[in-house]
PDB file of all heavy atoms in Angstrom:
ATOM      1  N   ARG K  48     180.371  33.505  67.180  1.00 88.00           N
ATOM      2  CA  ARG K  48     180.939  33.329  65.903  1.00 88.00           C
ATOM      3  C   ARG K  48     180.769  31.924  65.398  1.00 88.00           C
ATOM      4  O   ARG K  48     180.318  31.073  66.159  1.00 88.00           O
ATOM      5  CB  ARG K  48     182.481  33.597  65.905  1.00 88.00           C
ATOM      6  CG  ARG K  48     182.832  35.127  66.256  1.00 88.00           C
ATOM      7  CD  ARG K  48     184.313  35.263  66.158  1.00 88.00           C
ATOM      8  NE  ARG K  48     185.036  34.705  67.270  1.00 88.00           N
ATOM      9  CZ  ARG K  48     186.086  33.974  67.137  1.00 88.00           C
ATOM     10  NH1 ARG K  48     186.519  33.536  65.894  1.00 88.00           N
ATOM     11  NH2 ARG K  48     186.640  33.415  68.261  1.00 88.00           N
ATOM     12  N   ASP K  59     197.217  24.299  60.793  1.00 91.00           N
ATOM     13  CA  ASP K  59     198.194  25.287  61.297  1.00 91.00           C
ATOM     14  C   ASP K  59     199.552  24.586  61.455  1.00 91.00           C
ATOM     15  O   ASP K  59     200.640  25.052  61.119  1.00 91.00           O
ATOM     16  CB  ASP K  59     197.791  25.853  62.625  1.00 91.00           C
ATOM     17  CG  ASP K  59     196.501  26.796  62.519  1.00 91.00           C
ATOM     18  OD1 ASP K  59     196.297  27.068  61.305  1.00 91.00           O
ATOM     19  OD2 ASP K  59     195.958  27.093  63.490  1.00 91.00           O
ATOM     20  N   LYS K  62     201.215  23.585  58.185  1.00 90.00           N
ATOM     21  CA  LYS K  62     201.639  24.857  57.506  1.00 90.00           C
ATOM     22  C   LYS K  62     202.998  25.310  58.146  1.00 90.00           C
ATOM     23  O   LYS K  62     203.925  25.645  57.437  1.00 90.00           O
ATOM     24  CB  LYS K  62     200.631  25.912  57.564  1.00 90.00           C
ATOM     25  CG  LYS K  62     201.090  27.193  57.037  1.00 90.00           C
ATOM     26  CD  LYS K  62     200.377  28.380  57.656  1.00 90.00           C
ATOM     27  CE  LYS K  62     200.784  28.663  59.120  1.00 90.00           C
ATOM     28  NZ  LYS K  62     200.158  29.759  59.674  1.00 90.00           N
ATOM     29  N   GLY K  65     205.968  23.480  57.101  1.00 88.00           N
ATOM     30  CA  GLY K  65     206.426  23.765  55.711  1.00 88.00           C
ATOM     31  C   GLY K  65     207.017  25.133  55.541  1.00 88.00           C
ATOM     32  O   GLY K  65     207.429  25.499  54.468  1.00 88.00           O
ATOM     33  N   LYS K  66     207.152  25.898  56.654  1.00 89.00           N
ATOM     34  CA  LYS K  66     207.768  27.295  56.503  1.00 89.00           C
ATOM     35  C   LYS K  66     209.298  27.174  56.660  1.00 89.00           C
ATOM     36  O   LYS K  66     209.795  26.164  57.081  1.00 89.00           O
ATOM     37  CB  LYS K  66     207.224  28.209  57.525  1.00 89.00           C
ATOM     38  CG  LYS K  66     205.722  28.341  57.409  1.00 89.00           C
ATOM     39  CD  LYS K  66     205.124  29.684  57.897  1.00 89.00           C
ATOM     40  CE  LYS K  66     205.542  30.709  56.912  1.00 89.00           C
ATOM     41  NZ  LYS K  66     204.765  32.013  57.098  1.00 89.00           N
ATOM     42  N   GLU K 212     210.128  34.384  69.743  1.00 87.00           N
ATOM     43  CA  GLU K 212     211.412  34.146  68.858  1.00 87.00           C
ATOM     44  C   GLU K 212     211.283  32.887  68.110  1.00 87.00           C
ATOM     45  O   GLU K 212     212.232  32.540  67.407  1.00 87.00           O
ATOM     46  CB  GLU K 212     212.620  34.271  69.726  1.00 87.00           C
ATOM     47  CG  GLU K 212     212.958  35.621  70.202  1.00 87.00           C
ATOM     48  CD  GLU K 212     213.141  36.626  69.029  1.00 87.00           C
ATOM     49  OE1 GLU K 212     213.850  36.354  68.177  1.00 87.00           O
ATOM     50  OE2 GLU K 212     212.421  37.686  69.105  1.00 87.00           O
TER      51      GLU K 212
ATOM     52  N   ARG W  20     198.834  25.357  53.787  1.00 85.00           N
ATOM     53  CA  ARG W  20     199.145  26.756  53.582  1.00 85.00           C
ATOM     54  C   ARG W  20     197.895  27.562  53.160  1.00 85.00           C
ATOM     55  O   ARG W  20     197.724  28.704  53.435  1.00 85.00           O
ATOM     56  CB  ARG W  20     200.221  26.825  52.551  1.00 85.00           C
ATOM     57  CG  ARG W  20     201.645  26.716  53.162  1.00 85.00           C
ATOM     58  CD  ARG W  20     202.615  26.730  52.075  1.00 85.00           C
ATOM     59  NE  ARG W  20     203.894  26.323  52.620  1.00 85.00           N
ATOM     60  CZ  ARG W  20     204.801  25.814  51.887  1.00 85.00           C
ATOM     61  NH1 ARG W  20     204.750  25.652  50.628  1.00 85.00           N
ATOM     62  NH2 ARG W  20     205.969  25.360  52.461  1.00 85.00           N
ATOM     63  N   SER W  23     195.349  28.028  56.264  1.00 88.00           N
ATOM     64  CA  SER W  23     195.614  28.666  57.538  1.00 88.00           C
ATOM     65  C   SER W  23     196.567  29.832  57.347  1.00 88.00           C
ATOM     66  O   SER W  23     197.743  29.785  57.634  1.00 88.00           O
ATOM     67  CB  SER W  23     196.190  27.733  58.510  1.00 88.00           C
ATOM     68  OG  SER W  23     197.402  28.062  59.078  1.00 88.00           O
ATOM     69  N   GLU W  52     187.991  34.063  61.311  1.00 86.00           N
ATOM     70  CA  GLU W  52     188.708  32.950  61.853  1.00 86.00           C
ATOM     71  C   GLU W  52     188.101  31.654  61.250  1.00 86.00           C
ATOM     72  O   GLU W  52     188.696  30.575  61.301  1.00 86.00           O
ATOM     73  CB  GLU W  52     188.625  32.894  63.317  1.00 86.00           C
ATOM     74  CG  GLU W  52     189.725  32.071  63.951  1.00 86.00           C
ATOM     75  CD  GLU W  52     189.600  31.756  65.448  1.00 86.00           C
ATOM     76  OE1 GLU W  52     188.651  32.322  66.119  1.00 86.00           O
ATOM     77  OE2 GLU W  52     190.282  30.878  65.863  1.00 86.00           O
ATOM     78  N   LYS W  63     207.153  36.926  62.949  1.00 89.00           N
ATOM     79  CA  LYS W  63     207.781  35.612  62.868  1.00 89.00           C
ATOM     80  C   LYS W  63     206.789  34.435  62.744  1.00 89.00           C
ATOM     81  O   LYS W  63     207.072  33.330  62.391  1.00 89.00           O
ATOM     82  CB  LYS W  63     208.677  35.383  63.982  1.00 89.00           C
ATOM     83  CG  LYS W  63     209.806  36.343  64.054  1.00 89.00           C
ATOM     84  CD  LYS W  63     210.936  36.035  64.950  1.00 89.00           C
ATOM     85  CE  LYS W  63     212.035  36.913  64.719  1.00 89.00           C
ATOM     86  NZ  LYS W  63     213.165  36.739  65.616  1.00 89.00           N
ATOM     87  N   HIS W  64     205.438  34.739  63.128  1.00 88.00           N
ATOM     88  CA  HIS W  64     204.469  33.721  63.082  1.00 88.00           C
ATOM     89  C   HIS W  64     203.516  33.978  61.879  1.00 88.00           C
ATOM     90  O   HIS W  64     202.661  33.206  61.611  1.00 88.00           O
ATOM     91  CB  HIS W  64     203.623  33.612  64.319  1.00 88.00           C
ATOM     92  CG  HIS W  64     204.359  33.282  65.516  1.00 88.00           C
ATOM     93  ND1 HIS W  64     203.932  33.468  66.798  1.00 88.00           N
ATOM     94  CD2 HIS W  64     205.619  32.828  65.690  1.00 88.00           C
ATOM     95  CE1 HIS W  64     204.831  33.100  67.624  1.00 88.00           C
ATOM     96  NE2 HIS W  64     205.937  32.657  66.963  1.00 88.00           N
ATOM     97  N   ASP W  66     201.987  34.795  57.926  1.00 90.00           N
ATOM     98  CA  ASP W  66     202.071  34.377  56.561  1.00 90.00           C
ATOM     99  C   ASP W  66     201.793  35.499  55.603  1.00 90.00           C
ATOM    100  O   ASP W  66     202.337  35.575  54.566  1.00 90.00           O
ATOM    101  CB  ASP W  66     201.172  33.213  56.283  1.00 90.00           C
ATOM    102  CG  ASP W  66     201.341  32.159  57.251  1.00 90.00           C
ATOM    103  OD1 ASP W  66     202.434  31.566  57.303  1.00 90.00           O
ATOM    104  OD2 ASP W  66     200.408  31.722  57.962  1.00 90.00           O
TER     105      ASP W  66
END
Side-chain angles (χ1 to χ4, degrees):
Chain K
R48 294 185 285 127
D59 294 347
K62 175 204 72 178
K66 299 208 75 164
E212 289 300 311
Chain W
R20 274 178 192 155
S23 125
E52 204 193 346
K63 296 191 173 181
H64 299 166
D66 307 296

